[in-house]
Amino acid sequence: MTYPVHLSLGPLTLPVHLLLEVLAYSVGFRVYQALRRRTHDPISEENRLWIFVGCAAGALLGSRVLGLLEHPELLANPPGGWLYYFTNKTIVGGLLGGLVGVELTKKQLGVTTSSGDLMVYPVILGMCIGRLGCHLSGLEDGTFGTASSLPWAINFGDGVLRHPTNLYEILWLLLLAALLWLAERRGPLPNGWRFRFFMVGYLLFRLLVEFLKPTPAPAGWGLTAIQWACVAGLGYYVWLFIRKRQPAPQEAYA
């Protein structure tokens, strides 16, 4: 296979990454609708719509901000001009920004039940499709790995064999989905814990896999902006876990 992969339709060359990204959103939403029809959703249709709006706004802002912080040296002189500020994005920022947007929206609506459990499998499927688009884009996408001599290393078009980090991510997401499914076959997880396990699993993976990417860490930081965001997200879920295990005030004096 030669990278980047292009699809031709007569005189037109179709952008594979964009096509698969659109497909990821479409398929993910269809799967979500199917799951919601089969599952009792304690959140009303109207509140669910507002939660989607909050999620989309937070994800859009978070993905762009973290994407820009990944290369702070380019902020003053962005490649390609001002469009750089709107096109650079990252999944980690989208997930964490979406989480903040959802929690703020739920607080305004007075919704206390989890809204993320229903989204886990559709999000995993959509991310797998989207990452396939990143992989087929080769070096154009900027998410390739560092040089490697492993048997499965791939030449993305520059003559250098590299870690196929996008394929690593797809495999990890599929494994994460399988582990969640197997865990829930043994019994239902507490409300909200499917989403928490997904986020912890994905953030932990991204924290580690970023060491296999050529993105340099800013001087003195030791980690890239994405890795620091993963650390912050993991810290948040550790805090939630500790808070969950602490007895309620009335239990402490029982």
Side-chain angles (χ1 to χ4, degrees), residues 3-14:
Y3 295 86
V5 177
H6 295 293
L7 294 179
S8 297
L9 184 62
L12 299 176
T13 299
L14 304 178

Side-chain angles (χ1 to χ4, degrees), residues 77-244:
N77 297 291
W82 60 271
L83 284 176
Y84 173 80
Y85 298 117
F86 299 94
T87 56
N88 212 21
K89 58 185 184 293
T90 172
I91 289 178
V92 171
L95 288 173
L96 293 177
L99 175 64
V100 173
V102 165
E103 293 305 318
L104 291 176
T105 303
K106 286 168 60 178
K107 186 175 182 180
Q108 289 295 318
L109 297 174
V111 175
T112 57
T113 189
S114 170
S115 60
D117 284 349
L118 200 57
M119 297 297 300
V120 169
Y121 294 118
V123 166
I124 287 177
L125 179 58
M127 288 171 65
C128 287
I129 296 173
R131 278 309 189 200
L132 179 60
C134 295
H135 176 76
L136 296 177
S137 296
L139 299 176
E140 293 178 355
D141 185 68
T143 57
F144 49 86
T146 53
S148 170
S149 59
L150 292 171
W152 54 81
I154 293 177
N155 174 10
F156 287 103
D158 62 348
V160 178
L161 293 174
R162 300 177 180 275
H163 284 285
T165 49
N166 293 312
L167 297 185
Y168 294 169
E169 186 165 330
I170 292 173
L171 291 175
W172 175 252
L173 287 169
L174 294 176
L175 176 61
L176 191 56
L179 291 174
L180 286 171
W181 180 76
L182 289 173
E184 292 187 286
R185 287 199 66 185
R186 300 177 61 182
L189 295 173
N191 182 256
W193 282 83
R194 181 196 296 172
F195 184 76
R196 292 179 188 181
F197 284 138
F198 158 70
M199 287 292 288
V200 168
Y202 183 72
L203 292 175
L204 183 60
F205 168 81
R206 285 300 300 269
L207 174 63
L208 298 176
V209 82
E210 292 300 310
F211 288 114
L212 299 180
K213 295 183 180 180
T215 305
W221 287 23
L223 301 176
T224 66
I226 287 180
Q227 287 175 307
W228 279 116
C230 290
V231 170
L234 290 169
Y236 168 73
Y237 282 107
V238 168
W239 172 76
L240 282 184
F241 179 75
I242 293 173
R243 190 182 69 167
K244 182 72 175 179

